Amino acid sequence: ILVATGTTAASLVAALAYLTYQFVVGDYTNAYVWENSADYLPLLYKITGVYANHEGSILLWATLAAVITSWTVYSSYFDGRGSRLTHAIALSIVATFATMLIFESPFTPLEVAYPDTSAGFVPPDGDGLNPLLVDPWMAIHPPITFTAYSLLVIPFALGVTHFVSTFRGEDSPFDEWLSSTIAWARISWL
């Protein structure tokens, strides 16, 4: 689980960083960048374009969930009864998001997304960001929301571990992890 979690988190962080780079420099060979950015946008809204649509939002959510899951796997605080099942459940949630990215990639080249364009065509400017998203509050809303959702992956995984242990007739690890579960829930609500 250690290698899989670390590799997944590193891969998703690299993918999100690369997509952000494509938005900042205006790489319109990427269909997702062309659809959600333009040269006239300030830097804040170019970065907002990263998660302005479904594919980028899923990449952001998957990355945050992978980083949090990776932190719990590498943290000695989360060792103990039920920890392996909890980590496996959390990693399977991240794997679900990663699988969604395979089918709806934010890295689709322009000529694949729009086959009617001529080969090698690069638009001089992007299509622009949805005008509803050109607002400072909308720029910070998705990262805050997806961070909260990602922080709830661990309490969810702990809850599933509790029910699996109870179903098996084993002692649940929930009692010893209750304080950390409450802390995770409070941080996500904050």
Side-chain angles (χ1 to χ4, degrees):
I1 289 185
L2 288 172
V3 173
T5 305
T7 303
T8 302
S11 299
L12 287 169
V13 166
L16 184 62
Y18 181 63
L19 184 62
T20 304
Y21 169 78
Q22 286 185 313
F23 270 89
V24 169
V25 300
D27 182 0
Y28 300 126
T29 61
N30 179 333
Y32 184 75
V33 174
W34 176 77
E35 293 167 348
N36 297 291
S37 187
D39 290 340
Y40 67 86
L41 291 170
L43 180 62
L44 173 66
Y45 299 119
K46 286 184 178 187
I47 294 172
T48 301
V50 172
Y51 44 83
N53 216 328
H54 179 71
E55 297 90 343
S57 294
I58 294 298
L59 178 59
L60 175 65
W61 195 354
T63 303
L64 292 169
V67 168
I68 290 167
T69 300
S70 181
W71 181 81
T72 61
V73 168
Y74 287 101
S75 170
S76 60
Y77 183 73
F78 285 95
D79 288 339
R81 203 163 28 99
S83 63
R84 292 183 71 201
L85 179 58
T86 301
H87 295 312
I89 291 167
L91 189 58
S92 68
I93 292 168
V94 173
T96 301
F97 287 128
T99 303
M100 290 171 69
L101 289 168
I102 292 170
F103 296 107
E104 295 184 32
S105 174
F107 297 103
T108 305
L110 190 66
E111 63 263 7
V112 173
Y114 298 97
D116 293 339
T117 59
S118 58
F121 172 73
V122 179
D125 199 0
D127 198 30
L129 186 62
N130 181 335
L132 296 173
L133 299 177
V134 182
D135 182 272
W137 296 109
M138 289 307 295
I140 65 169
H141 174 263
I144 291 171
T145 303
F146 289 130
T147 300
Y149 290 161
S150 298
L151 287 167
L152 287 172
V153 166
I154 301 303
F156 172 78
L158 287 168
V160 172
T161 300
H162 164 73
F163 287 117
V164 168
S165 299
T166 303
F167 181 74
R168 290 179 178 169
E170 301 169 354
D171 289 336
S172 171
F174 194 75
D175 291 335
E176 65 188 76
W177 287 23
L178 182 60
S179 62
S180 66
T181 304
I182 291 171
W184 280 98
R186 284 181 179 158
I187 291 170
S188 75
W189 278 106
L190 176 66

